[in-house]
Amino acid sequence: MTIRSRSSSRGFSLLEVLVAILVLSIGLLGLAAMQAFSLKANQSANFRTQATALANMIVERMRAHGGGALNTTVAYYGTGSDTRAQQDLQDWQAAIAAQLPDGVGTLVFSGGSIGVNITWTDARWAIAADQKTAFVLTTTL
């Protein structure tokens, strides 16, 4: 008959419990870091989606007014005399400022093409406080 010691059949030792808690806490910290990164990436993607929609909005407004006006004035959406175009530009810039943090929109006219530039501060990704994220759309009417 074999005699077993009582201590070998008593369950987990304190050291095994501490190691299990350590492994579990490292896993939970990794999960929290992954969740934080996911939130940061999701917010950045939302800003890019907003910038894309806003750029397409101003291009469609220019098309609705007839792209030919761009050829007659260098700044159809700038210093031109078309008040509807100026109102569209003001509305568009106000929408950018409202939907994107520190958002600024500019239009660049080069020959027959239009460059739509939208910049904003994406504080979740910025290394420096003044780093801007940009979206650029170039099209013709």
Side-chain angles (χ1 to χ4, degrees), residues 62-91:
M62 285 189 279
R63 285 190 178 124
H65 289 296
L70 281 173
N71 298 327
T72 59
T73 62
V74 69
Y76 176 70
Y77 274 83
T79 60
S81 60
D82 187 351
T83 57
R84 181 64 206 157
Q86 289 176 350
Q87 185 63 45
D88 282 348
L89 180 63
Q90 290 172 359
D91 292 346

PDB file of all heavy atoms in Angstrom, residues 62-91:
ATOM      1  N   MET A  62     -20.758  73.207 -57.121  1.00  0.00           N
ATOM      2  CA  MET A  62     -20.180  73.903 -58.269  1.00  0.00           C
ATOM      3  C   MET A  62     -20.770  73.369 -59.575  1.00  0.00           C
ATOM      4  O   MET A  62     -21.057  74.132 -60.485  1.00  0.00           O
ATOM      5  CB  MET A  62     -18.655  73.757 -58.272  1.00  0.00           C
ATOM      6  CG  MET A  62     -17.976  74.619 -57.239  1.00  0.00           C
ATOM      7  SD  MET A  62     -16.197  74.646 -57.393  1.00  0.00           S
ATOM      8  CE  MET A  62     -15.752  73.141 -56.583  1.00  0.00           C
ATOM      9  N   ARG A  63     -20.962  72.071 -59.641  1.00  0.00           N
ATOM     10  CA  ARG A  63     -21.576  71.485 -60.847  1.00  0.00           C
ATOM     11  C   ARG A  63     -23.002  71.955 -61.003  1.00  0.00           C
ATOM     12  O   ARG A  63     -23.477  72.193 -62.111  1.00  0.00           O
ATOM     13  CB  ARG A  63     -21.511  69.963 -60.780  1.00  0.00           C
ATOM     14  CG  ARG A  63     -20.139  69.418 -61.043  1.00  0.00           C
ATOM     15  CD  ARG A  63     -20.142  67.909 -61.211  1.00  0.00           C
ATOM     16  NE  ARG A  63     -18.795  67.470 -61.517  1.00  0.00           N
ATOM     17  CZ  ARG A  63     -18.125  66.567 -60.827  1.00  0.00           C
ATOM     18  NH1 ARG A  63     -18.688  65.982 -59.785  1.00  0.00           N
ATOM     19  NH2 ARG A  63     -16.908  66.237 -61.166  1.00  0.00           N
ATOM     20  N   ALA A  64     -23.712  72.075 -59.886  1.00  0.00           N
ATOM     21  CA  ALA A  64     -25.101  72.522 -59.943  1.00  0.00           C
ATOM     22  C   ALA A  64     -25.214  73.950 -60.461  1.00  0.00           C
ATOM     23  O   ALA A  64     -26.179  74.307 -61.118  1.00  0.00           O
ATOM     24  CB  ALA A  64     -25.742  72.411 -58.559  1.00  0.00           C
ATOM     25  N   HIS A  65     -24.228  74.770 -60.177  1.00  0.00           N
ATOM     26  CA  HIS A  65     -24.221  76.149 -60.654  1.00  0.00           C
ATOM     27  C   HIS A  65     -23.677  76.261 -62.067  1.00  0.00           C
ATOM     28  O   HIS A  65     -23.664  77.357 -62.628  1.00  0.00           O
ATOM     29  CB  HIS A  65     -23.383  77.046 -59.732  1.00  0.00           C
ATOM     30  CG  HIS A  65     -24.034  77.291 -58.413  1.00  0.00           C
ATOM     31  ND1 HIS A  65     -25.216  77.973 -58.277  1.00  0.00           N
ATOM     32  CD2 HIS A  65     -23.667  76.932 -57.178  1.00  0.00           C
ATOM     33  CE1 HIS A  65     -25.545  78.019 -57.004  1.00  0.00           C
ATOM     34  NE2 HIS A  65     -24.619  77.397 -56.310  1.00  0.00           N
ATOM     35  N   GLY A  66     -23.226  75.170 -62.613  1.00  0.00           N
ATOM     36  CA  GLY A  66     -22.676  75.196 -63.966  1.00  0.00           C
ATOM     37  C   GLY A  66     -21.186  75.462 -63.923  1.00  0.00           C
ATOM     38  O   GLY A  66     -20.757  76.533 -63.518  1.00  0.00           O
ATOM     39  N   GLY A  67     -20.403  74.479 -64.292  1.00  0.00           N
ATOM     40  CA  GLY A  67     -18.955  74.601 -64.228  1.00  0.00           C
ATOM     41  C   GLY A  67     -18.390  75.651 -65.144  1.00  0.00           C
ATOM     42  O   GLY A  67     -17.258  76.079 -64.974  1.00  0.00           O
ATOM     43  N   GLY A  68     -19.156  76.120 -66.140  1.00  0.00           N
ATOM     44  CA  GLY A  68     -18.655  77.122 -67.054  1.00  0.00           C
ATOM     45  C   GLY A  68     -18.301  78.426 -66.376  1.00  0.00           C
ATOM     46  O   GLY A  68     -17.462  79.175 -66.850  1.00  0.00           O
ATOM     47  N   ALA A  69     -18.939  78.723 -65.249  1.00  0.00           N
ATOM     48  CA  ALA A  69     -18.641  79.955 -64.532  1.00  0.00           C
ATOM     49  C   ALA A  69     -17.208  79.965 -64.030  1.00  0.00           C
ATOM     50  O   ALA A  69     -16.614  81.009 -63.856  1.00  0.00           O
ATOM     51  CB  ALA A  69     -19.607  80.124 -63.357  1.00  0.00           C
ATOM     52  N   LEU A  70     -16.647  78.790 -63.815  1.00  0.00           N
ATOM     53  CA  LEU A  70     -15.266  78.719 -63.345  1.00  0.00           C
ATOM     54  C   LEU A  70     -14.298  79.244 -64.394  1.00  0.00           C
ATOM     55  O   LEU A  70     -13.271  79.808 -64.067  1.00  0.00           O
ATOM     56  CB  LEU A  70     -14.890  77.279 -63.010  1.00  0.00           C
ATOM     57  CG  LEU A  70     -15.385  76.780 -61.674  1.00  0.00           C
ATOM     58  CD1 LEU A  70     -15.100  75.306 -61.545  1.00  0.00           C
ATOM     59  CD2 LEU A  70     -14.730  77.538 -60.553  1.00  0.00           C
ATOM     60  N   ASN A  71     -14.617  79.040 -65.630  1.00  0.00           N
ATOM     61  CA  ASN A  71     -13.717  79.468 -66.686  1.00  0.00           C
ATOM     62  C   ASN A  71     -13.740  80.983 -66.892  1.00  0.00           C
ATOM     63  O   ASN A  71     -12.802  81.545 -67.422  1.00  0.00           O
ATOM     64  CB  ASN A  71     -14.066  78.768 -67.999  1.00  0.00           C
ATOM     65  CG  ASN A  71     -13.908  77.274 -67.876  1.00  0.00           C
ATOM     66  OD1 ASN A  71     -13.050  76.797 -67.153  1.00  0.00           O
ATOM     67  ND2 ASN A  71     -14.730  76.533 -68.589  1.00  0.00           N
ATOM     68  N   THR A  72     -14.816  81.640 -66.495  1.00  0.00           N
ATOM     69  CA  THR A  72     -14.920  83.083 -66.723  1.00  0.00           C
ATOM     70  C   THR A  72     -14.387  83.905 -65.565  1.00  0.00           C
ATOM     71  O   THR A  72     -13.996  85.038 -65.753  1.00  0.00           O
ATOM     72  CB  THR A  72     -16.387  83.486 -66.989  1.00  0.00           C
ATOM     73  OG1 THR A  72     -17.170  83.110 -65.859  1.00  0.00           O
ATOM     74  CG2 THR A  72     -16.906  82.809 -68.240  1.00  0.00           C
ATOM     75  N   THR A  73     -14.400  83.346 -64.362  1.00  0.00           N
ATOM     76  CA  THR A  73     -13.825  84.055 -63.222  1.00  0.00           C
ATOM     77  C   THR A  73     -12.800  83.146 -62.568  1.00  0.00           C
ATOM     78  O   THR A  73     -13.025  81.957 -62.391  1.00  0.00           O
ATOM     79  CB  THR A  73     -14.889  84.427 -62.171  1.00  0.00           C
ATOM     80  OG1 THR A  73     -15.468  83.234 -61.674  1.00  0.00           O
ATOM     81  CG2 THR A  73     -15.936  85.337 -62.741  1.00  0.00           C
ATOM     82  N   VAL A  74     -11.681  83.734 -62.203  1.00  0.00           N
ATOM     83  CA  VAL A  74     -10.608  82.927 -61.610  1.00  0.00           C
ATOM     84  C   VAL A  74     -11.022  82.391 -60.246  1.00  0.00           C
ATOM     85  O   VAL A  74     -10.530  81.370 -59.816  1.00  0.00           O
ATOM     86  CB  VAL A  74      -9.299  83.731 -61.524  1.00  0.00           C
ATOM     87  CG1 VAL A  74      -9.398  84.843 -60.502  1.00  0.00           C
ATOM     88  CG2 VAL A  74      -8.123  82.823 -61.212  1.00  0.00           C
ATOM     89  N   ALA A  75     -11.932  83.061 -59.595  1.00  0.00           N
ATOM     90  CA  ALA A  75     -12.320  82.624 -58.260  1.00  0.00           C
ATOM     91  C   ALA A  75     -13.831  82.568 -58.149  1.00  0.00           C
ATOM     92  O   ALA A  75     -14.440  83.357 -57.452  1.00  0.00           O
ATOM     93  CB  ALA A  75     -11.735  83.562 -57.225  1.00  0.00           C
ATOM     94  N   TYR A  76     -14.428  81.650 -58.841  1.00  0.00           N
ATOM     95  CA  TYR A  76     -15.877  81.470 -58.800  1.00  0.00           C
ATOM     96  C   TYR A  76     -16.344  81.325 -57.357  1.00  0.00           C
ATOM     97  O   TYR A  76     -17.362  81.853 -56.969  1.00  0.00           O
ATOM     98  CB  TYR A  76     -16.237  80.235 -59.614  1.00  0.00           C
ATOM     99  CG  TYR A  76     -17.690  79.859 -59.584  1.00  0.00           C
ATOM    100  CD1 TYR A  76     -18.639  80.638 -60.219  1.00  0.00           C
ATOM    101  CD2 TYR A  76     -18.102  78.717 -58.945  1.00  0.00           C
ATOM    102  CE1 TYR A  76     -19.965  80.287 -60.196  1.00  0.00           C
ATOM    103  CE2 TYR A  76     -19.426  78.349 -58.931  1.00  0.00           C
ATOM    104  CZ  TYR A  76     -20.352  79.134 -59.551  1.00  0.00           C
ATOM    105  OH  TYR A  76     -21.658  78.790 -59.537  1.00  0.00           O
ATOM    106  N   TYR A  77     -15.543  80.626 -56.572  1.00  0.00           N
ATOM    107  CA  TYR A  77     -15.877  80.456 -55.166  1.00  0.00           C
ATOM    108  C   TYR A  77     -14.970  81.282 -54.278  1.00  0.00           C
ATOM    109  O   TYR A  77     -14.734  80.978 -53.143  1.00  0.00           O
ATOM    110  CB  TYR A  77     -15.795  78.974 -54.787  1.00  0.00           C
ATOM    111  CG  TYR A  77     -17.077  78.272 -55.075  1.00  0.00           C
ATOM    112  CD1 TYR A  77     -17.348  77.804 -56.344  1.00  0.00           C
ATOM    113  CD2 TYR A  77     -18.038  78.114 -54.102  1.00  0.00           C
ATOM    114  CE1 TYR A  77     -18.542  77.183 -56.623  1.00  0.00           C
ATOM    115  CE2 TYR A  77     -19.226  77.484 -54.374  1.00  0.00           C
ATOM    116  CZ  TYR A  77     -19.481  77.032 -55.632  1.00  0.00           C
ATOM    117  OH  TYR A  77     -20.659  76.415 -55.900  1.00  0.00           O
ATOM    118  N   GLY A  78     -14.454  82.365 -54.796  1.00  0.00           N
ATOM    119  CA  GLY A  78     -13.578  83.220 -54.012  1.00  0.00           C
ATOM    120  C   GLY A  78     -13.992  84.667 -54.154  1.00  0.00           C
ATOM    121  O   GLY A  78     -14.948  85.117 -53.549  1.00  0.00           O
ATOM    122  N   THR A  79     -13.319  85.401 -55.030  1.00  0.00           N
ATOM    123  CA  THR A  79     -13.568  86.834 -55.160  1.00  0.00           C
ATOM    124  C   THR A  79     -14.543  87.169 -56.280  1.00  0.00           C
ATOM    125  O   THR A  79     -14.723  88.325 -56.607  1.00  0.00           O
ATOM    126  CB  THR A  79     -12.247  87.566 -55.429  1.00  0.00           C
ATOM    127  OG1 THR A  79     -11.689  87.056 -56.648  1.00  0.00           O
ATOM    128  CG2 THR A  79     -11.277  87.372 -54.291  1.00  0.00           C
ATOM    129  N   GLY A  80     -15.145  86.193 -56.883  1.00  0.00           N
ATOM    130  CA  GLY A  80     -16.086  86.453 -57.975  1.00  0.00           C
ATOM    131  C   GLY A  80     -17.323  87.180 -57.490  1.00  0.00           C
ATOM    132  O   GLY A  80     -17.556  87.333 -56.300  1.00  0.00           O
ATOM    133  N   SER A  81     -18.156  87.605 -58.404  1.00  0.00           N
ATOM    134  CA  SER A  81     -19.317  88.420 -58.033  1.00  0.00           C
ATOM    135  C   SER A  81     -20.563  87.580 -57.806  1.00  0.00           C
ATOM    136  O   SER A  81     -21.598  88.138 -57.453  1.00  0.00           O
ATOM    137  CB  SER A  81     -19.581  89.441 -59.136  1.00  0.00           C
ATOM    138  OG  SER A  81     -19.840  88.778 -60.351  1.00  0.00           O
ATOM    139  N   ASP A  82     -20.507  86.277 -58.008  1.00  0.00           N
ATOM    140  CA  ASP A  82     -21.671  85.417 -57.842  1.00  0.00           C
ATOM    141  C   ASP A  82     -21.957  85.236 -56.347  1.00  0.00           C
ATOM    142  O   ASP A  82     -21.230  84.542 -55.642  1.00  0.00           O
ATOM    143  CB  ASP A  82     -21.419  84.063 -58.514  1.00  0.00           C
ATOM    144  CG  ASP A  82     -22.650  83.184 -58.516  1.00  0.00           C
ATOM    145  OD1 ASP A  82     -23.651  83.531 -57.855  1.00  0.00           O
ATOM    146  OD2 ASP A  82     -22.606  82.139 -59.178  1.00  0.00           O
ATOM    147  N   THR A  83     -23.028  85.862 -55.868  1.00  0.00           N
ATOM    148  CA  THR A  83     -23.319  85.812 -54.443  1.00  0.00           C
ATOM    149  C   THR A  83     -23.739  84.417 -53.993  1.00  0.00           C
ATOM    150  O   THR A  83     -23.477  84.029 -52.861  1.00  0.00           O
ATOM    151  CB  THR A  83     -24.411  86.828 -54.075  1.00  0.00           C
ATOM    152  OG1 THR A  83     -25.573  86.567 -54.850  1.00  0.00           O
ATOM    153  CG2 THR A  83     -23.913  88.243 -54.295  1.00  0.00           C
ATOM    154  N   ARG A  84     -24.421  83.666 -54.866  1.00  0.00           N
ATOM    155  CA  ARG A  84     -24.812  82.294 -54.497  1.00  0.00           C
ATOM    156  C   ARG A  84     -23.570  81.432 -54.295  1.00  0.00           C
ATOM    157  O   ARG A  84     -23.495  80.633 -53.364  1.00  0.00           O
ATOM    158  CB  ARG A  84     -25.714  81.692 -55.575  1.00  0.00           C
ATOM    159  CG  ARG A  84     -26.184  80.308 -55.280  1.00  0.00           C
ATOM    160  CD  ARG A  84     -27.062  80.295 -54.029  1.00  0.00           C
ATOM    161  NE  ARG A  84     -26.989  78.994 -53.425  1.00  0.00           N
ATOM    162  CZ  ARG A  84     -27.247  78.755 -52.162  1.00  0.00           C
ATOM    163  NH1 ARG A  84     -27.612  79.711 -51.363  1.00  0.00           N
ATOM    164  NH2 ARG A  84     -27.145  77.559 -51.676  1.00  0.00           N
ATOM    165  N   ALA A  85     -22.581  81.610 -55.152  1.00  0.00           N
ATOM    166  CA  ALA A  85     -21.340  80.854 -55.020  1.00  0.00           C
ATOM    167  C   ALA A  85     -20.620  81.234 -53.730  1.00  0.00           C
ATOM    168  O   ALA A  85     -20.091  80.377 -53.024  1.00  0.00           O
ATOM    169  CB  ALA A  85     -20.440  81.099 -56.226  1.00  0.00           C
ATOM    170  N   GLN A  86     -20.610  82.517 -53.413  1.00  0.00           N
ATOM    171  CA  GLN A  86     -19.963  82.955 -52.178  1.00  0.00           C
ATOM    172  C   GLN A  86     -20.691  82.401 -50.961  1.00  0.00           C
ATOM    173  O   GLN A  86     -20.068  82.004 -49.978  1.00  0.00           O
ATOM    174  CB  GLN A  86     -19.894  84.478 -52.132  1.00  0.00           C
ATOM    175  CG  GLN A  86     -18.909  85.055 -53.118  1.00  0.00           C
ATOM    176  CD  GLN A  86     -18.930  86.579 -53.131  1.00  0.00           C
ATOM    177  OE1 GLN A  86     -19.804  87.202 -52.547  1.00  0.00           O
ATOM    178  NE2 GLN A  86     -17.963  87.165 -53.810  1.00  0.00           N
ATOM    179  N   GLN A  87     -22.016  82.345 -51.033  1.00  0.00           N
ATOM    180  CA  GLN A  87     -22.787  81.778 -49.924  1.00  0.00           C
ATOM    181  C   GLN A  87     -22.504  80.282 -49.786  1.00  0.00           C
ATOM    182  O   GLN A  87     -22.385  79.768 -48.675  1.00  0.00           O
ATOM    183  CB  GLN A  87     -24.288  82.026 -50.129  1.00  0.00           C
ATOM    184  CG  GLN A  87     -25.132  81.576 -48.962  1.00  0.00           C
ATOM    185  CD  GLN A  87     -24.814  82.355 -47.697  1.00  0.00           C
ATOM    186  OE1 GLN A  87     -24.686  83.560 -47.718  1.00  0.00           O
ATOM    187  NE2 GLN A  87     -24.666  81.647 -46.593  1.00  0.00           N
ATOM    188  N   ASP A  88     -22.397  79.569 -50.916  1.00  0.00           N
ATOM    189  CA  ASP A  88     -22.041  78.147 -50.879  1.00  0.00           C
ATOM    190  C   ASP A  88     -20.689  77.944 -50.212  1.00  0.00           C
ATOM    191  O   ASP A  88     -20.512  77.036 -49.406  1.00  0.00           O
ATOM    192  CB  ASP A  88     -22.000  77.563 -52.293  1.00  0.00           C
ATOM    193  CG  ASP A  88     -23.383  77.271 -52.845  1.00  0.00           C
ATOM    194  OD1 ASP A  88     -24.357  77.303 -52.062  1.00  0.00           O
ATOM    195  OD2 ASP A  88     -23.473  77.002 -54.059  1.00  0.00           O
ATOM    196  N   LEU A  89     -19.729  78.796 -50.580  1.00  0.00           N
ATOM    197  CA  LEU A  89     -18.393  78.689 -50.001  1.00  0.00           C
ATOM    198  C   LEU A  89     -18.435  78.930 -48.493  1.00  0.00           C
ATOM    199  O   LEU A  89     -17.836  78.177 -47.724  1.00  0.00           O
ATOM    200  CB  LEU A  89     -17.441  79.678 -50.667  1.00  0.00           C
ATOM    201  CG  LEU A  89     -16.008  79.660 -50.131  1.00  0.00           C
ATOM    202  CD1 LEU A  89     -15.344  78.318 -50.380  1.00  0.00           C
ATOM    203  CD2 LEU A  89     -15.198  80.784 -50.749  1.00  0.00           C
ATOM    204  N   GLN A  90     -19.160  79.927 -48.059  1.00  0.00           N
ATOM    205  CA  GLN A  90     -19.260  80.210 -46.624  1.00  0.00           C
ATOM    206  C   GLN A  90     -19.950  79.076 -45.876  1.00  0.00           C
ATOM    207  O   GLN A  90     -19.514  78.676 -44.794  1.00  0.00           O
ATOM    208  CB  GLN A  90     -19.990  81.527 -46.394  1.00  0.00           C
ATOM    209  CG  GLN A  90     -19.198  82.743 -46.826  1.00  0.00           C
ATOM    210  CD  GLN A  90     -20.021  84.018 -46.774  1.00  0.00           C
ATOM    211  OE1 GLN A  90     -21.207  84.005 -46.439  1.00  0.00           O
ATOM    212  NE2 GLN A  90     -19.382  85.136 -47.114  1.00  0.00           N
ATOM    213  N   ASP A  91     -21.008  78.530 -46.466  1.00  0.00           N
ATOM    214  CA  ASP A  91     -21.715  77.411 -45.845  1.00  0.00           C
ATOM    215  C   ASP A  91     -20.808  76.185 -45.736  1.00  0.00           C
ATOM    216  O   ASP A  91     -20.798  75.475 -44.732  1.00  0.00           O
ATOM    217  CB  ASP A  91     -22.967  77.048 -46.641  1.00  0.00           C
ATOM    218  CG  ASP A  91     -24.033  78.130 -46.574  1.00  0.00           C
ATOM    219  OD1 ASP A  91     -23.924  79.031 -45.711  1.00  0.00           O
ATOM    220  OD2 ASP A  91     -24.966  78.078 -47.408  1.00  0.00           O
TER     221      ASP A  91
END
